[in-house]
Amino acid sequence: MTVADELVRSARALARSVGRLRFAPPVAHVYNPLDYAWAMHEAYLRRFGATRKRVVFVGMNPGPFGMMQTGVPFGEVAAVRDWMRLDAPIERPAKQHPKRPIEGFACRRSEVSGQRVWGWAASRFGSPEAFFEHALVLNYCPLVFLAGSGRNCTPDKLPAAELQPLQHACDLHLRRALAALEPQWAIGIGGYATKRLGAVLAGGHQGRSGAADEGAADAMRSGGVRIGQILHPSPASPLANRGWAAQVDAQLEALGVLELLPGYRAPQGTDGGC
Protein backbone atom coordinates (compact mmCIF):
# COMPACT_ATOMS: atom_id res chain seq x y z
CA MET A 1 0.00 0.00 0.00
CA THR A 2 1.37 3.41 -0.94
CA VAL A 3 1.57 6.41 1.41
CA ALA A 4 -1.31 8.07 -0.42
CA ASP A 5 -3.39 4.88 -0.23
CA GLU A 6 -2.90 4.77 3.53
CA LEU A 7 -3.81 8.46 3.92
CA VAL A 8 -6.94 7.96 1.84
CA ARG A 9 -7.95 4.85 3.74
CA SER A 10 -7.44 6.58 7.09
CA ALA A 11 -9.39 9.65 5.98
CA ARG A 12 -12.30 7.49 4.82
CA ALA A 13 -12.35 5.74 8.19
CA LEU A 14 -12.31 9.12 9.95
CA ALA A 15 -15.22 10.35 7.82
CA ARG A 16 -17.28 7.32 8.81
CA SER A 17 -16.40 7.61 12.50
CA VAL A 18 -17.22 11.30 12.90
CA GLY A 19 -20.29 10.92 10.71
CA ARG A 20 -21.88 8.78 13.42
CA LEU A 21 -21.41 11.41 16.14
CA ARG A 22 -24.20 13.73 17.28
CA PHE A 23 -23.92 17.19 18.81
CA ALA A 24 -26.36 19.22 20.91
CA PRO A 25 -27.09 22.97 20.93
CA PRO A 26 -25.58 25.49 20.59
CA VAL A 27 -24.35 23.43 17.60
CA ALA A 28 -27.15 23.52 15.04
CA HIS A 29 -25.40 22.31 11.89
CA VAL A 30 -22.42 20.01 11.38
CA TYR A 31 -20.66 19.92 8.01
CA ASN A 32 -18.33 17.08 7.07
CA PRO A 33 -16.19 18.00 4.02
CA LEU A 34 -14.83 14.44 3.99
CA ASP A 35 -18.32 13.52 2.83
CA TYR A 36 -19.63 16.08 0.33
CA ALA A 37 -16.14 17.29 -0.78
CA TRP A 38 -14.49 13.87 -0.63
CA ALA A 39 -13.38 13.89 -4.27
CA MET A 40 -11.40 17.08 -3.74
CA HIS A 41 -9.90 15.88 -0.46
CA GLU A 42 -8.81 12.63 -2.06
CA ALA A 43 -7.31 14.53 -4.99
CA TYR A 44 -5.30 16.63 -2.52
CA LEU A 45 -4.01 13.56 -0.67
CA ARG A 46 -3.13 11.63 -3.80
CA ARG A 47 -1.39 14.50 -5.54
CA PHE A 48 0.51 15.97 -2.59
CA GLY A 49 0.62 13.13 -0.06
CA ALA A 50 2.10 10.45 -2.29
CA THR A 51 5.46 10.33 -0.50
CA ARG A 52 6.78 10.44 3.05
CA LYS A 53 7.39 13.91 4.43
CA ARG A 54 9.94 15.58 6.64
CA VAL A 55 7.44 18.03 8.12
CA VAL A 56 3.69 17.70 8.71
CA PHE A 57 1.69 20.79 9.70
CA VAL A 58 -1.57 20.14 11.58
CA GLY A 59 -4.45 22.60 11.90
CA MET A 60 -7.50 22.38 14.14
CA ASN A 61 -10.61 22.08 11.90
CA PRO A 62 -12.07 23.59 8.70
CA GLY A 63 -12.94 27.25 8.39
CA PRO A 64 -16.28 28.26 6.80
CA PHE A 65 -14.67 29.73 3.67
CA GLY A 66 -11.74 27.33 3.43
CA MET A 67 -11.87 23.56 3.82
CA MET A 68 -15.62 23.74 4.41
CA GLN A 69 -15.94 24.94 0.81
CA THR A 70 -13.15 23.03 -0.92
CA GLY A 71 -12.32 19.92 1.14
CA VAL A 72 -8.64 20.95 1.36
CA PRO A 73 -7.02 21.93 4.70
CA PHE A 74 -6.97 25.75 5.00
CA GLY A 75 -8.44 25.51 1.49
CA GLU A 76 -8.91 29.12 0.45
CA VAL A 77 -10.54 28.96 -2.98
CA ALA A 78 -7.90 30.81 -5.01
CA ALA A 79 -5.06 28.82 -3.46
CA VAL A 80 -6.70 25.47 -4.20
CA ARG A 81 -7.86 26.38 -7.70
CA ASP A 82 -4.99 28.56 -8.98
CA TRP A 83 -1.89 27.54 -7.00
CA MET A 84 -2.48 23.85 -6.28
CA ARG A 85 -4.44 23.49 -9.53
CA LEU A 86 -6.83 20.95 -8.05
CA ASP A 87 -10.17 20.31 -9.68
CA ALA A 88 -12.74 17.77 -8.50
CA PRO A 89 -16.50 17.73 -7.87
CA ILE A 90 -17.81 19.35 -4.69
CA GLU A 91 -21.31 18.30 -3.71
CA ARG A 92 -23.61 19.72 -1.02
CA PRO A 93 -24.45 18.44 2.48
CA ALA A 94 -28.03 17.29 2.93
CA LYS A 95 -28.71 19.95 5.56
CA GLN A 96 -27.21 23.39 5.05
CA HIS A 97 -27.34 26.49 7.18
CA PRO A 98 -28.99 29.26 5.13
CA LYS A 99 -26.19 31.66 6.05
CA ARG A 100 -23.41 29.16 5.29
CA PRO A 101 -24.15 27.47 1.95
CA ILE A 102 -21.56 25.29 0.25
CA GLU A 103 -20.60 27.05 -2.97
CA GLY A 104 -17.28 25.38 -3.71
CA PHE A 105 -15.11 27.35 -6.14
CA ALA A 106 -18.01 29.79 -6.61
CA CYS A 107 -17.56 31.02 -3.02
CA ARG A 108 -16.54 34.68 -3.14
CA ARG A 109 -15.61 34.94 0.51
CA SER A 110 -11.92 34.42 1.21
CA GLU A 111 -10.59 32.39 4.14
CA VAL A 112 -8.00 34.67 5.78
CA SER A 113 -6.28 31.78 7.56
CA GLY A 114 -6.01 29.92 4.26
CA GLN A 115 -4.73 33.02 2.48
CA ARG A 116 -2.00 33.29 5.06
CA VAL A 117 -0.97 29.62 5.16
CA TRP A 118 -0.91 29.06 1.41
CA GLY A 119 0.28 32.59 0.66
CA TRP A 120 3.28 31.89 2.90
CA ALA A 121 3.91 28.56 1.13
CA ALA A 122 3.66 30.17 -2.31
CA SER A 123 5.94 33.12 -1.45
CA ARG A 124 8.59 30.94 0.24
CA PHE A 125 8.56 27.92 -2.06
CA GLY A 126 7.17 29.19 -5.35
CA SER A 127 5.51 26.09 -6.75
CA PRO A 128 3.29 23.66 -4.84
CA GLU A 129 5.64 20.86 -5.94
CA ALA A 130 8.53 22.53 -4.09
CA PHE A 131 6.50 22.91 -0.88
CA PHE A 132 4.85 19.49 -0.90
CA GLU A 133 8.03 17.61 -1.77
CA HIS A 134 8.90 17.49 1.94
CA ALA A 135 5.80 18.89 3.70
CA LEU A 136 2.08 18.31 4.02
CA VAL A 137 -0.77 20.13 5.77
CA LEU A 138 -3.53 18.18 7.52
CA ASN A 139 -6.43 19.14 9.77
CA TYR A 140 -6.92 17.35 13.08
CA CYS A 141 -10.74 17.45 13.02
CA PRO A 142 -12.62 17.40 9.71
CA LEU A 143 -15.93 18.76 11.01
CA VAL A 144 -17.36 22.28 10.93
CA PHE A 145 -19.68 23.22 13.82
CA LEU A 146 -22.16 26.05 13.27
CA ALA A 147 -24.45 27.68 15.80
CA GLY A 148 -28.01 28.61 14.92
CA SER A 149 -26.81 32.11 14.07
CA GLY A 150 -24.24 30.72 11.63
CA ARG A 151 -21.38 31.46 14.00
CA ASN A 152 -18.45 29.07 13.76
CA CYS A 153 -17.96 26.92 16.89
CA THR A 154 -14.51 25.39 17.39
CA PRO A 155 -14.22 21.79 18.66
CA ASP A 156 -12.24 22.76 21.77
CA LYS A 157 -15.40 24.48 23.07
CA LEU A 158 -17.55 21.33 22.89
CA PRO A 159 -18.67 19.74 26.19
CA ALA A 160 -16.54 16.81 27.36
CA ALA A 161 -19.21 14.21 26.56
CA GLU A 162 -19.16 15.28 22.89
CA LEU A 163 -15.47 16.16 22.66
CA GLN A 164 -14.09 12.85 23.95
CA PRO A 165 -15.51 10.56 21.23
CA LEU A 166 -14.60 13.16 18.61
CA GLN A 167 -11.02 13.32 19.85
CA HIS A 168 -10.81 9.53 19.98
CA ALA A 169 -11.66 9.32 16.26
CA CYS A 170 -9.41 12.22 15.29
CA ASP A 171 -6.49 10.96 17.41
CA LEU A 172 -6.68 7.58 15.68
CA HIS A 173 -6.64 9.19 12.24
CA LEU A 174 -3.75 11.50 13.13
CA ARG A 175 -1.74 8.59 14.50
CA ARG A 176 -2.30 6.60 11.30
CA ALA A 177 -1.47 9.56 9.06
CA LEU A 178 1.78 10.30 10.89
CA ALA A 179 2.73 6.63 10.81
CA ALA A 180 2.29 6.64 7.03
CA LEU A 181 4.13 9.94 6.47
CA GLU A 182 6.97 9.26 8.97
CA PRO A 183 7.84 12.95 9.48
CA GLN A 184 10.79 14.22 11.47
CA TRP A 185 8.64 17.12 12.69
CA ALA A 186 4.93 17.48 13.44
CA ILE A 187 4.04 21.17 13.72
CA GLY A 188 0.80 22.26 15.38
CA ILE A 189 -0.77 25.35 13.83
CA GLY A 190 -1.98 26.91 17.06
CA GLY A 191 -2.30 25.55 20.57
CA TYR A 192 -5.15 23.06 20.21
CA ALA A 193 -3.55 21.11 17.36
CA THR A 194 -0.25 21.08 19.23
CA LYS A 195 -1.94 19.64 22.32
CA ARG A 196 -3.52 16.87 20.25
CA LEU A 197 -0.15 16.08 18.69
CA GLY A 198 1.21 15.78 22.21
CA ALA A 199 -1.63 13.45 23.20
CA VAL A 200 -1.14 11.28 20.12
CA LEU A 201 2.65 11.14 20.08
CA ALA A 202 3.76 11.84 23.62
CA GLY A 203 1.08 10.91 26.11
CA GLY A 204 -0.29 14.42 26.38
CA HIS A 205 2.91 16.29 27.33
CA GLN A 206 3.29 19.67 25.70
CA GLY A 207 7.01 20.33 25.50
CA ARG A 208 9.63 21.46 27.98
CA SER A 209 7.52 24.27 29.36
CA GLY A 210 4.56 21.98 30.09
CA ALA A 211 2.20 24.16 28.05
CA ALA A 212 1.46 24.90 24.43
CA ASP A 213 1.41 28.70 24.49
CA GLU A 214 0.33 30.50 21.32
CA GLY A 215 3.35 30.90 19.07
CA ALA A 216 5.72 28.97 21.31
CA ALA A 217 8.97 27.93 19.61
CA ASP A 218 9.36 24.90 21.86
CA ALA A 219 9.79 21.30 20.87
CA MET A 220 9.89 17.78 22.20
CA ARG A 221 10.74 14.41 20.73
CA SER A 222 8.56 11.31 20.84
CA GLY A 223 9.17 8.09 18.98
CA GLY A 224 11.49 9.85 16.55
CA VAL A 225 9.01 12.67 15.82
CA ARG A 226 9.67 16.16 17.16
CA ILE A 227 6.66 18.32 18.03
CA GLY A 228 6.61 22.08 17.52
CA GLN A 229 4.10 24.90 17.28
CA ILE A 230 3.59 27.95 15.11
CA LEU A 231 1.22 30.86 15.50
CA HIS A 232 -2.32 30.25 14.27
CA PRO A 233 -3.14 32.49 11.29
CA SER A 234 -6.70 33.36 12.38
CA PRO A 235 -7.55 37.07 12.09
CA ALA A 236 -9.18 36.69 15.52
CA SER A 237 -5.63 36.61 16.92
CA PRO A 238 -4.21 40.15 17.29
CA LEU A 239 -0.70 38.73 17.17
CA ALA A 240 -1.40 36.99 13.84
CA ASN A 241 -2.48 40.31 12.36
CA ARG A 242 0.99 41.75 12.90
CA GLY A 243 2.95 40.00 10.15
CA TRP A 244 1.96 36.36 10.55
CA ALA A 245 4.25 35.05 7.81
CA ALA A 246 7.37 36.70 9.19
CA GLN A 247 6.62 35.38 12.67
CA VAL A 248 6.21 31.85 11.30
CA ASP A 249 9.53 32.15 9.49
CA ALA A 250 11.18 33.06 12.78
CA GLN A 251 9.46 30.26 14.71
CA LEU A 252 10.36 27.58 12.17
CA GLU A 253 13.93 28.86 11.97
CA ALA A 254 14.23 28.73 15.78
CA LEU A 255 12.98 25.13 15.74
CA GLY A 256 15.45 24.17 13.00
CA VAL A 257 12.65 23.12 10.66
CA LEU A 258 13.51 25.33 7.68
CA GLU A 259 16.77 23.49 7.05
CA LEU A 260 14.70 20.35 6.35
CA LEU A 261 12.81 22.14 3.56
CA PRO A 262 15.36 22.77 0.78
CA GLY A 263 12.82 24.56 -1.42
CA TYR A 264 12.41 27.36 1.13
CA ARG A 265 13.60 30.81 0.06
CA ALA A 266 13.68 33.67 2.56
CA PRO A 267 11.62 36.69 1.48
CA GLN A 268 13.44 39.66 0.01
CA GLY A 269 12.84 43.02 1.68
CA THR A 270 9.75 43.60 3.80
CA ASP A 271 7.17 40.85 4.20
CA GLY A 272 3.70 41.93 3.09
CA GLY A 273 2.28 41.76 6.62
CA CYS A 274 -0.15 38.91 6.10
Side-chain angles (χ1 to χ4, degrees), residues 2-258:
T2 67
V3 175
D5 286 340
E6 181 58 32
L7 293 179
V8 168
R9 186 178 73 166
S10 298
R12 284 191 182 277
L14 175 62
R16 291 192 297 269
S17 295
V18 298
R20 292 191 288 265
L21 301 178
R22 297 295 178 264
F23 302 90
V27 173
H29 289 72
V30 179
Y31 286 22
N32 184 0
L34 298 189
D35 180 13
Y36 60 85
W38 171 254
M40 187 72 80
H41 188 75
E42 182 176 8
Y44 170 77
L45 294 178
R46 291 201 179 277
R47 181 171 178 186
F48 298 121
T51 59
R52 293 181 174 84
K53 307 297 180 183
R54 295 176 179 178
V55 183
V56 175
F57 296 90
V58 180
M60 179 166 57
N61 77 312
F65 309 111
M67 185 175 175
M68 190 181 95
Q69 297 293 336
T70 65
V72 174
F74 290 93
E76 194 261 342
V77 167
V80 174
R81 180 190 59 211
D82 304 330
W83 188 62
M84 297 182 203
R85 301 184 300 277
L86 292 174
D87 187 15
I90 299 171
E91 299 177 0
R92 305 288 186 272
K95 182 183 178 184
Q96 296 191 77
H97 193 292
K99 293 183 179 180
R100 294 289 182 262
I102 298 303
E103 301 173 297
F105 282 172
C107 179
R108 296 185 179 183
R109 296 284 297 273
S110 183
E111 183 80 14
V112 174
S113 293
Q115 273 188 328
R116 288 174 173 171
V117 167
W118 297 119
W120 171 83
S123 66
R124 274 46 170 183
F125 295 85
S127 69
E129 290 76 18
F131 174 75
F132 289 110
E133 181 180 5
H134 299 296
L136 190 67
V137 179
L138 300 174
N139 261 337
Y140 171 73
C141 171
L143 299 182
V144 182
F145 304 96
L146 299 175
S149 64
R151 175 179 58 87
N152 187 46
C153 303
T154 55
D156 57 317
K157 301 299 192 297
L158 293 171
E162 295 177 356
L163 183 59
Q164 289 174 359
L166 176 65
Q167 288 188 161
H168 177 77
C170 295
D171 284 356
L172 179 59
H173 167 260
L174 182 57
R175 188 176 296 112
R176 288 172 172 170
L178 294 176
L181 292 164
E182 297 184 356
Q184 297 176 44
W185 279 89
I187 305 292
I189 303 176
Y192 179 76
T194 307
K195 290 178 181 177
R196 297 322 306 162
L197 281 168
V200 167
L201 293 174
H205 299 295
Q206 301 303 324
R208 291 189 296 269
S209 66
D213 297 329
E214 185 70 36
D218 202 357
M220 64 175 298
R221 185 183 296 275
S222 176
V225 181
R226 300 190 74 183
I227 301 170
Q229 179 179 333
I230 60 174
L231 179 67
H232 196 284
S234 170
S237 166
L239 188 59
N241 295 328
R242 297 197 291 270
W244 179 84
Q247 294 182 74
V248 167
D249 287 332
Q251 291 173 330
L252 293 175
E253 184 175 12
L255 290 167
V257 169
L258 293 181

